[in-house]
């Protein structure tokens, strides 16, 4: 009899411990800690630093040259927001300080833009260094023209990160730098009917990207709306209104189109992307109810076993996007599905705690690395990824990065 009682007690204790290990607090710790640890290790005590976006995969000895010295602004902006959501404002500020320096100082331009990527590690008082590597075959210092460029969406995400930090710290310089970023967007990429893609190429002459991205306009809407709420300046209300009008145009019955071609015509409906189905209604609380049908569309057309693919070819699970979907389901009022998706991502954890970008060896996007071309050569690989882990932290903390608020 005693033996049975002891056995039952042990089973109950183990069950309770397992439940606790998978509970919300544990999930938050598991996704928040790796992001913070990465900042600590790469900042090396500096007050301002960028964080490398990727680490080499399990089967790689090192990263490709084009990624080894690269801290993408999008990933770093996500890390800032995730760290604030996790309650680690100090680590978030380290990256935020680097973003602010990048807004104020550039090796070529003085108009307040940020580049798509910077060199990881501590940032001094001069213009932050851009990524690059020594190409021994050509005997030159090489850079990536896409990394040197300025994507409208990345500029807006940097603004969202600085606005999140301003909200957390009340430091006015973060607000001023966010304003400068969106002022750059308004002055340089507005078409009057949506915000164009940005600029691409090497300094000092860069190519203007004439196509319009649905995702970029979500980002601009969110940052401009936030700025209008804080400043009451009409230019930000006008920018948000322009972006929202484009999103209304891009909604096609039950899903969102990718955007437009350079001539202004809408993209082919067969070109799908998961984030485009989720972000518009995540970012706009008063969006039309039918916009949320895009979540069901994604579940029908983009789902794979355990989560979601980037696009409609379903060639593998995209970890970052699956984390985005977890947060989207939370916002949509389905916490069960949200938790289920987040739990599946445990399979993608690496020894460092960062999540791999993909579960398969490679996942296609249908997009081009060079935004001036149409060759579909942009892939995600199974490598530890700062951005994917930051999105998982946002899902675990139920934090909406577009509004700066926890989900009710």
């Amino acid at each position: 009899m005693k033996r049975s009682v002891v056995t039952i007690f042990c089973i109950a204790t183990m069950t309770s411990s397992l439940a606790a290990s998978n509970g919300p607090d544990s999930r938050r710790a598991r996704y928040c800690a790796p992001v913070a640890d990465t900042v600590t290790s790469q900042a090396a005590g500096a007050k301002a630093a960028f964080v490398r976006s990727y680490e080499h995969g399990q089967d790689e000895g090192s990263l490709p040259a084009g990624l080894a010295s690269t801290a993408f602004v999008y990933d770093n902006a996500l890390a800032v927001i995730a760290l604030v959501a996790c309650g680690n404002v100090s680590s978030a500020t380290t990256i935020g300080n680097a973003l602010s320096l990048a807004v104020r100082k550039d090796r070529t331009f003085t108009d307040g833009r940020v580049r798509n990527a910077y060199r990881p590690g501590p940032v001094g008082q001069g213009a932050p260094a851009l990524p690059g590597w020594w190409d021994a075959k050509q005997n030159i210092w090489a850079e990536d023209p896409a990394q040197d460029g300025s994507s409208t969406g990345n500029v807006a995400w940097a603004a969202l990160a600085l606005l999140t930090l301003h909200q957390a710290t009340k430091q006015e310089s973060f607000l001023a730098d966010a304003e400068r970023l969106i002022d750059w967007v308004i002055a340089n990429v507005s078409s009057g009917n949506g915000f164009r893609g940005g600029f691409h190429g090497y300094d000092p002459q860069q190519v203007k990207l004439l196509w319009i991205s649905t995702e970029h306009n979500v980002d601009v809407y969110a940052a401009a709306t936030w700025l209008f709420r804080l400043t009451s300046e009409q230019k930000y209300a006008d920018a948000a209104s322009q972006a929202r009008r484009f999103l209304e145009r891009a909604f096609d019955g039950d899903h969102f189109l990718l955007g437009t071609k350079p001539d202004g015509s809408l993209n082919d409906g067969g070109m799908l992307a998961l984030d485009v189905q989720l972000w518009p209604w995540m970012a706009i609380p008063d969006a039309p109810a039918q916009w949320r049908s895009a979540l069901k569309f994604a579940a029908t057309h983009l789902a794979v076993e355990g989560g979601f693919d980037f696009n409609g070819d379903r060639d593998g699970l995209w970890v970052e996007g699956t984390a985005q979907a977890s947060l989207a389901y939370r916002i949509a009022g389905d916490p069960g599905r949200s938790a289920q998706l987040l739990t599946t991502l445990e399979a993608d954890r690496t020894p460092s705690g960062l999540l791999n970008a993909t579960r398969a060896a490679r996942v296609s996007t249908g997009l081009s690395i060079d935004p001036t071309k149409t060759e579909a050569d942009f892939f995600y690989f199974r490598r530890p990824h700062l951005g994917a882990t930051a999105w998982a932290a946002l899902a675990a903390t139920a934090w909406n990065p577009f509004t700066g608020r926890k989900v009710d």
Side-chain angles (χ1 to χ4, degrees):
M1 187 70 172
K2 282 184 178 179
R3 198 179 221 171
S4 298
V5 170
V6 171
T7 301
I8 291 170
F9 174 77
C10 290
I11 291 172
T13 301
M14 290 171 62
T15 302
S16 176
S17 298
L18 183 61
S21 69
N22 288 315
D25 290 341
S26 177
R27 286 197 298 270
R28 281 192 289 270
R30 288 202 297 272
Y31 296 117
C32 292
V35 179
D37 291 345
T38 302
V39 176
T40 300
S41 64
Q42 295 190 33
K47 292 183 178 179
F50 286 112
V51 178
R52 187 167 47 248
S53 289
Y54 292 94
E55 301 299 332
H56 65 80
Q58 185 177 2
D59 300 326
E60 296 179 305
S62 61
L63 283 168
L67 291 179
S69 65
T70 304
F72 287 107
V73 159
Y74 168 71
D75 295 324
N76 278 258
L78 281 173
V80 168
I81 300 170
L83 287 165
V84 170
C86 293
N88 190 339
V89 177
S90 176
S91 292
T93 301
T94 299
I95 301 176
N97 287 338
L99 287 171
S100 279
L101 286 167
V103 174
R104 293 184 225 129
K105 294 184 179 181
D106 185 89
R107 70 181 188 186
T108 302
F109 304 106
T110 59
D111 55 7
R113 72 181 72 187
V114 291
R115 307 303 187 106
N116 291 331
Y118 293 95
R119 201 173 303 172
V123 175
Q125 292 304 308
L130 301 186
W133 64 96
W134 181 253
D135 188 329
K137 289 184 179 179
Q138 299 186 68
N139 201 35
I140 60 170
W141 179 257
E143 293 183 2
D144 184 321
Q147 294 178 9
D148 287 0
S150 296
S151 159
T152 299
N154 291 336
V155 173
W157 270 103
L160 286 171
L162 294 172
L163 287 168
T164 302
L165 271 175
H166 170 259
Q167 179 176 275
T169 66
K170 308 306 178 189
Q171 187 171 317
E172 288 301 313
S173 61
F174 289 138
L175 173 58
D177 292 331
E179 288 185 77
R180 192 172 187 195
L181 288 170
I182 300 305
D183 287 348
W184 180 87
V185 168
I186 293 169
N188 291 278
V189 297
S190 172
S191 73
N193 296 301
F195 294 93
R196 296 191 174 101
F199 291 82
H200 170 79
Y202 300 113
D203 301 5
Q205 299 297 324
Q206 296 189 332
V207 177
K208 194 166 187 175
L209 302 172
L210 300 180
W211 42 259
I212 300 174
S213 161
T214 300
E215 178 228 304
H216 290 185
N217 278 265
V218 173
D219 311 334
V220 173
Y221 173 89
T225 298
W226 197 327
L227 282 170
F228 179 66
R229 186 169 72 242
L230 295 178
T231 68
S232 299
E233 290 196 40
Q234 187 60 39
K235 61 183 175 181
Y236 299 128
D238 292 343
S241 178
Q242 180 180 169
R244 181 162 180 164
R245 288 196 305 273
F246 181 78
L247 298 177
E248 290 167 351
R249 181 186 174 204
F251 186 66
D252 187 23
D254 63 350
H255 69 288
F256 288 90
L257 300 177
L258 205 62
T260 76
K261 302 171 186 176
D263 66 5
S265 62
L266 288 168
N267 281 117
D268 182 348
M271 295 183 67
L272 301 175
L274 177 64
D275 50 9
V276 173
Q277 309 313 321
L278 307 179
W279 291 10
W281 53 270
M282 292 170 68
I284 306 178
D286 66 344
Q290 60 265 36
W291 283 17
R292 294 199 176 196
S293 64
L295 179 58
K296 183 178 180 180
F297 178 91
T300 302
H301 296 276
L302 301 167
V304 295
E305 184 179 354
F308 288 86
D309 188 13
F310 183 98
N311 62 4
D313 65 7
R314 303 187 183 193
D315 63 344
L317 187 145
W318 180 39
V319 174
E320 177 187 329
T322 300
Q324 292 174 18
S326 174
L327 181 58
Y329 275 107
R330 181 68 178 265
I331 293 171
D334 189 347
R337 180 59 174 151
S338 174
Q340 183 182 38
L341 286 173
L342 195 57
T343 298
T344 67
L345 296 183
E346 284 301 309
D348 304 292
R349 184 178 298 280
T350 66
S352 70
L354 293 176
L355 299 181
N356 280 322
T358 66
R359 188 166 295 171
R362 188 182 81 168
V363 168
S364 66
T365 68
L367 303 176
S368 173
I369 293 174
D370 183 336
T372 64
K373 298 179 180 178
T374 58
E375 181 184 359
D377 58 355
F378 176 21
F379 299 94
Y380 284 97
F381 295 88
R382 191 169 55 227
R383 298 183 176 115
H385 183 206
L386 178 66
T389 313
W391 268 110
L394 291 171
T397 56
W399 185 277
N400 188 331
F402 301 106
T403 63
R405 300 187 178 107
K406 285 183 71 73
V407 180
D408 294 332

